[in-house]
Amino acid sequence: MPATTPASSHILLIRCPDEPGLIYKISGVLFRHGLNILRNDEFVERADNHFFMRTELAGELAAEDLLQELRTTLPAADIRLSDNRPKNIVLLVTKEHHCLSELLVRHAFQELNARILAVVSNYEVLGDLTRQFGIPFHCVSHEGKTREAHEVEVQQIIGQYAPEFVVLAKYMRILSPEFVLPYANRLINIHHSFLPAFVGASPYAQAYERGVKIIGATAHFVNEQLDQGPIIAQSVIPVNHTHSAAEMAQAGRDVEKIVLARSLRLVFSERVFVHHNKTIIFE
């Protein structure tokens, strides 16, 4: 007999061209396997007639048998079954602590649905903070090296851990397409994207000079076009003329760390589908 596992945390993920009766067909297969649907979310992207479905299941589950029948029933579908276990991740950082601190604390209290295997940085600045949480810290200096040479060293460190995701927790170096490619839809960045006109090293000083009224952040998957990858989560907070540049920067750090943590929670709980250059998210 095929091995069965308790499905208290199993999640079924399906994407395929839309057609009449999809939910009926899928639920029929689940019923025949004696599974109970605890929660179901579905969406049709009408622009290209594409169907997305996320289903939480309960019951004794024979994974291979279930997947085989689903794939026979829906031959054009991309079907995945997740046990919703914590994801293995590596964090990349530079000098700013706010995102790293947020993730380390959430990790310590098991709020991320992830295991932080290591932190890698091009400076030693955040080493002591990381080690206080019992997480390995690797400093790979970029000084005197080409970007390519430095990236090879960083990739070698990451490769030792074979993470499922790599998170740029304010990693302030531009990554080459060659670095990004192996981590398609597995490399997540946080960016002060609600300040799109302000680039360079001092975006909040520029924002202060312009008198902006909102400060925001965007978490997104990284692709070869730098900050143009599929968006996972965004948020803004209001500011006004009474805020100094330093206060705007602090507000920016506050929103960045919350948006990054929220985006990781969505991704690691299997709530995000990447479709072309955008995301379908079931919250």
Side-chain angles (χ1 to χ4, degrees):
M1 294 179 60
T4 61
T5 56
S8 57
S9 60
H10 282 285
I11 298 173
L12 178 65
L13 303 158
I14 297 177
R15 57 192 300 168
C16 62
D18 190 36
E19 63 179 63
L22 278 175
I23 296 175
Y24 171 79
K25 292 177 182 179
I26 295 166
S27 60
V29 173
L30 299 179
F31 176 76
R32 287 192 291 276
H33 282 258
L35 299 170
N36 186 35
I37 296 175
L38 300 177
R39 173 173 173 169
N40 193 66
D41 296 282
E42 68 272 347
F43 174 75
V44 175
E45 174 57 79
R46 297 184 181 181
D48 60 3
N49 199 46
H50 218 75
F51 172 84
F52 300 85
M53 182 168 166
R54 178 187 185 274
T55 306
E56 297 181 10
L57 303 170
E60 293 296 319
L61 186 152
E64 290 306 317
D65 288 350
L66 175 63
L67 289 172
Q68 181 176 346
E69 183 170 352
L70 284 169
R71 288 164 179 158
T72 300
T73 304
L74 305 173
D78 176 12
I79 303 171
R80 188 163 65 87
L81 189 63
S82 169
D83 59 8
N84 203 29
R85 60 172 175 72
K87 306 300 187 289
N88 293 323
I89 67 174
V90 167
L91 308 183
L92 269 58
V93 300
T94 298
K95 293 181 177 180
E96 295 185 77
H97 73 83
H98 58 287
C99 286
L100 174 64
S101 300
E102 183 76 15
L103 299 183
L104 289 174
V105 170
R106 288 175 181 259
H107 179 263
F109 286 92
Q110 300 181 352
E111 296 178 2
L112 275 182
N113 197 29
R115 300 186 187 94
I116 300 177
L117 304 181
V119 175
V120 183
S121 179
N122 54 322
Y123 291 95
E124 184 61 46
V125 175
L126 300 176
D128 288 344
L129 169 65
T130 302
R131 296 184 190 99
Q132 287 181 43
F133 287 83
I135 305 294
F137 181 86
H138 301 270
C139 180
V140 183
S141 175
H142 64 280
E143 297 293 339
K145 302 170 186 173
T146 65
R147 182 175 71 169
E148 292 74 16
H150 181 252
E151 286 187 348
V152 167
E153 290 188 45
V154 172
Q155 285 175 315
Q156 289 174 343
I157 296 294
I158 295 174
Q160 295 176 16
Y161 294 95
E164 293 164 271
F165 293 90
V166 175
V167 178
L168 307 181
K170 299 300 290 183
Y171 185 63
M172 308 305 291
R173 287 182 62 80
I174 296 175
L175 298 174
S176 69
E178 291 75 21
F179 186 100
V180 172
L181 185 61
Y183 303 107
N185 299 331
R186 298 192 298 123
L187 185 63
I188 300 169
N189 185 40
I190 185 67
H191 181 61
H192 58 273
S193 67
F194 280 92
L195 304 177
F198 313 119
V199 298
S202 303
Y204 293 106
Q206 299 173 60
Y208 171 76
E209 294 296 331
R210 287 287 301 277
V212 302
K213 304 307 180 190
I214 59 170
I215 294 292
T218 293
H220 63 96
F221 291 109
V222 179
N223 62 18
E224 66 281 0
Q225 298 178 10
L226 194 58
D227 293 316
Q228 304 300 314
I231 292 169
I232 306 166
Q234 296 178 296
S235 187
V236 295
I237 54 176
V239 294
N240 59 41
H241 63 279
T242 67
H243 289 78
S244 67
E247 289 169 333
M248 286 187 178
Q250 182 59 59
R253 289 191 288 269
D254 289 345
V255 72
E256 284 173 355
K257 67 183 182 181
I258 297 302
V259 170
L260 179 58
R262 176 171 167 244
S263 73
L264 298 184
R265 186 175 68 251
L266 291 169
V267 172
F268 299 158
S269 60
E270 309 286 4
R271 297 182 180 276
V272 180
F273 288 86
V274 176
H275 185 56
H276 302 315
N277 199 43
K278 69 176 185 178
T279 55
I280 308 298
I281 297 179
F282 296 122
E283 296 198 52

